[in-house]
Amino acid sequence: MDETTHLERYDPSAFERPSVTVDLILMSVIDGVPAVLLMRRDEAPFAARWALPGGFVGIGESLDDAARRVLADKAHMADAYVEQLYTFGAVERDPRMRIISVAYFALLPADRFVAALTATAELSLAELTVPWRGETGGPVEVRVSGDDAVTLAFDHGEMLGLAMGRLRGKLDYSGVAFALLPERFTLRALQDVYEAILDTRLNKPAFRRRMLDRGWLQPTGEREAGTSFRPAELYRYRMPQEEQ
Amino acid sequence: MDETTHLERYDPSAFERPSVTVDLILMSVIDGVPAVLLMRRDEAPFAARWALPGGFVGIGESLDDAARRVLADKAHMADAYVEQLYTFGAVERDPRMRIISVAYFALLPADRFVAALTATAELSLAELTVPWRGETGGPVEVRVSGDDAVTLAFDHGEMLGLAMGRLRGKLDYSGVAFALLPERFTLRALQDVYEAILDTRLNKPAFRRRMLDRGWLQPTGEREAGTSFRPAELYRYRMPQEEQ
DNA sequence: CCAAAAGTGTTTTAGTTACACCCATGG
DNA sequence: CCATGGGTGTAACTAAAACACTTTTGG
């Protein structure tokens, strides 16, 4: 075995190589419900099943570039928050051939998510019902436009569970929540995002103070419009000094 | 571009594929100092530079299996705690050809780490000086057996920084610290591991209570031997119900 | 002036830190 | 009986939660 490893070091081109793809878990929070972008497969394997958008990684293309390309080409969405999640490398994960897939997760505010969705026929929004299983993530129940729960193609269900776990884990110590909100937003909207992702009710005054004390929010001086009650202040996310 | 993606879906074998490797960041805490396993490269590129052990992923081998194989073959260590870290996919990260590398980090107790190290000539232990830069990790200074700081081959320095950040981030909410200790250990030994990794001094009574209140520690009833003062109780790590 | 949600002040609680102290052991 | 680190009790501090309350808007 040591012999083989040694040979590989010298001439790796002599060995059969796996294909490498990226798969994209593009999420948002729509009307207080976590949502993910799915595409319906129209060929085997898993024909007519729902799957995450993905694509092969080009030989001269970095993984991050491939993820952004899939985001632009398949999902027709640009400038999302994108982060590498995990790499899935089980031998039999694709029945056709050996494919290693690097999963990326991406976040978009509801308005831009819905806009891109309605502009593109073959895409579909799926609502997520997410039982709390800690940061590691676990099985996630997926409903496409109100229908019954569906099972995703390949190991995409596992990817989705992991993405949801990561989102929950990072929610409170990073700025990911703001990637799900428009540039200007109210504290109530921020709390709605938190409640949707964590699947809990939060105490309003406590939440409010916690957020303001962190110093990440900049009051714009402007107010929300079109309410029949007292309009809330609009805030802007100001990235803290230490990046990410 | 959409056209290309479509074609790839049908016949990916027609496209050139990258090689895929795993690299292993095998860490321990030796005498209160974080340490990592390195190998000296004896061929170009980066000849005579220090690098992480790694190897190509076989076509019929899962990523996790490849990581465990590298652990066994190159590092001659079995049964370590192993966890996937991140996948590095920059196009020019290896000057010879396109190689995508999945980084794994592994943890071993000091005694087993040192035993395997002394049994194998081509391995070397490197001490780490790790400035605190939050969970994301950052540049790490590496010293091989007391010499000056060295720069690792390829992007291995970046991998090491990320591994250290992950270790710090998970230290306090997961059981990773116990992967760095023998089966039976004192509370002082546990605190030493925390202090080495976090690079801080911790308050003894507070640490003690926090650990015991968590319910992860099982008193064995046995005592540490060979001290010239009061011998400390030995504890065992009892995995909590919810895995990881 | 009423409904509805924004926004604030005050108390309670829980978890952590700091510090002082006692205990057990080998020499 | 002394030095050394193990182990414990108590008070102080801090951050968050709970709850009651006041404010501001449109209709």
Side-chain angles (χ1 to χ4, degrees):
Chain A
M1 201 36 138
D2 232 334
E3 197 56 27
T4 310
T5 313
H6 206 234
L7 278 174
E8 284 177 346
R9 267 285 172 212
Y10 281 97
D11 183 17
S13 58
F15 291 82
E16 203 182 345
R17 301 173 189 177
S19 297
V20 178
T21 62
V22 294
D23 285 314
L24 199 68
I25 301 107
L26 177 54
M27 299 197 287
S28 192
V29 173
I30 318 274
D31 296 328
V33 181
V36 67
L37 182 88
L38 295 179
M39 303 183 79
R40 200 182 189 82
R41 287 184 60 80
D42 48 26
E43 58 194 87
F46 300 101
R49 290 276 274 285
W50 294 96
L52 298 169
F56 286 87
V57 176
I59 194 71
E61 180 185 51
S62 77
L63 294 173
D64 291 357
D65 286 346
R68 278 187 290 263
R69 174 173 55 77
V70 168
L71 184 72
D73 288 359
K74 291 263 177 99
H76 299 101
M77 297 174 188
D79 294 323
Y81 172 90
V82 176
E83 172 183 320
Q84 190 189 301
L85 184 64
Y86 195 80
T87 300
F88 291 78
V91 175
E92 300 293 343
R93 56 177 297 282
D94 189 312
R96 292 168 296 181
M97 67 181 105
R98 182 71 199 279
I99 299 186
I100 290 168
S101 178
V102 184
Y104 275 78
F105 92 106
L107 302 174
L108 267 185
D111 51 351
R112 292 173 53 207
F113 189 99
V114 172
L117 201 64
T118 51
T120 317
E122 69 263 28
L123 300 179
S124 198
L125 174 155
E127 294 190 356
L128 307 180
T129 311
V130 192
W132 178 256
R133 288 208 178 72
E135 249 190 69
T136 321
V140 171
E141 195 161 283
V142 181
R143 280 167 210 286
V144 180
S145 49
D147 292 350
D148 282 347
V150 299
T151 309
L152 301 188
F154 304 105
D155 46 9
H156 290 183
E158 204 185 330
M159 291 182 183
L160 183 54
L162 199 64
M164 201 63 210
R166 177 90 134 237
L167 182 57
R168 281 177 167 173
K170 293 192 74 165
L171 187 65
D172 206 42
Y173 74 88
S174 77
V176 285
F178 305 104
L180 294 166
L181 290 166
E183 202 236 333
R184 280 142 62 255
F185 53 87
T186 64
L187 280 169
R188 164 56 59 188
L190 180 59
Q191 185 172 344
D192 286 345
V193 165
Y194 268 65
E195 293 185 342
I197 292 171
L198 300 179
D199 196 25
T200 11
R201 314 303 333 258
L202 298 172
N203 183 272
K204 183 175 61 155
F207 182 80
R208 182 184 182 75
R209 259 186 294 262
R210 215 153 54 82
M211 289 303 136
L212 292 176
D213 288 353
R214 259 214 257 281
W216 297 359
L217 295 179
Q218 214 171 26
T220 60
E222 294 164 76
R223 297 297 171 99
E224 187 178 26
T227 57
S228 75
F229 44 82
R230 177 175 174 178
E233 168 103 44
L234 290 169
Y235 291 85
R236 200 190 310 277
Y237 172 51
R238 193 200 54 160
M239 169 113 61
Q241 254 65 326
E242 345 71 71
E243 160 68 28
Q244 259 253 45
Chain B
M1 200 39 135
D2 230 334
E3 197 54 26
T4 310
T5 314
H6 206 234
L7 278 174
E8 284 177 346
R9 267 286 173 213
Y10 280 97
D11 184 15
S13 58
F15 291 83
E16 202 183 345
R17 301 173 189 176
S19 297
V20 178
T21 61
V22 293
D23 285 314
L24 199 68
I25 301 108
L26 178 54
M27 298 196 287
S28 192
V29 173
I30 318 276
D31 296 328
V33 181
V36 67
L37 183 88
L38 296 179
M39 303 184 79
R40 200 182 189 83
R41 287 185 61 79
D42 48 27
E43 56 192 87
F46 298 101
R49 289 276 275 283
W50 293 96
L52 298 169
F56 287 86
V57 176
I59 194 70
E61 179 186 51
S62 77
L63 293 172
D64 291 358
D65 285 347
R68 279 187 290 265
R69 175 174 54 77
V70 168
L71 185 72
D73 289 359
K74 292 261 177 106
H76 299 100
M77 298 175 187
D79 294 323
Y81 171 90
V82 177
E83 172 184 321
Q84 190 191 301
L85 183 64
Y86 196 80
T87 300
F88 291 78
V91 175
E92 301 293 343
R93 56 177 297 282
D94 190 313
R96 292 167 296 182
M97 68 181 105
R98 181 71 198 281
I99 299 185
I100 289 168
S101 177
V102 184
Y104 276 78
F105 92 105
L107 302 174
L108 267 185
D111 52 351
R112 292 173 53 207
F113 189 97
V114 172
L117 201 63
T118 51
T120 317
E122 69 264 27
L123 299 180
S124 198
L125 173 155
E127 293 191 355
L128 306 181
T129 312
V130 192
W132 177 256
R133 288 207 178 70
E135 249 189 70
T136 319
V140 171
E141 195 162 282
V142 181
R143 280 168 209 286
V144 179
S145 48
D147 292 350
D148 282 345
V150 298
T151 310
L152 301 188
F154 304 105
D155 46 9
H156 290 184
E158 203 185 332
M159 290 181 183
L160 182 53
L162 199 64
M164 200 64 208
R166 177 89 134 240
L167 182 55
R168 282 179 167 171
K170 294 191 74 164
L171 187 65
D172 205 44
Y173 73 88
S174 77
V176 284
F178 305 104
L180 294 166
L181 290 166
E183 202 236 333
R184 278 143 62 254
F185 53 88
T186 65
L187 280 169
R188 163 57 60 187
L190 181 58
Q191 185 171 344
D192 286 344
V193 164
Y194 268 65
E195 294 185 342
I197 292 171
L198 300 179
D199 194 25
T200 12
R201 315 302 333 257
L202 297 170
N203 184 272
K204 184 176 62 158
F207 181 80
R208 183 184 180 75
R209 259 187 294 262
R210 216 153 52 82
M211 290 302 137
L212 292 175
D213 288 353
R214 260 214 259 279
W216 296 359
L217 296 180
Q218 215 171 25
T220 61
E222 293 164 78
R223 296 298 169 97
E224 185 180 26
T227 56
S228 76
F229 43 83
R230 178 174 174 178
E233 169 104 42
L234 290 169
Y235 291 86
R236 200 190 310 276
Y237 172 52
R238 192 201 52 163
M239 170 113 59
Q241 255 63 326
E242 345 71 72
E243 160 68 27
Q244 262 252 42

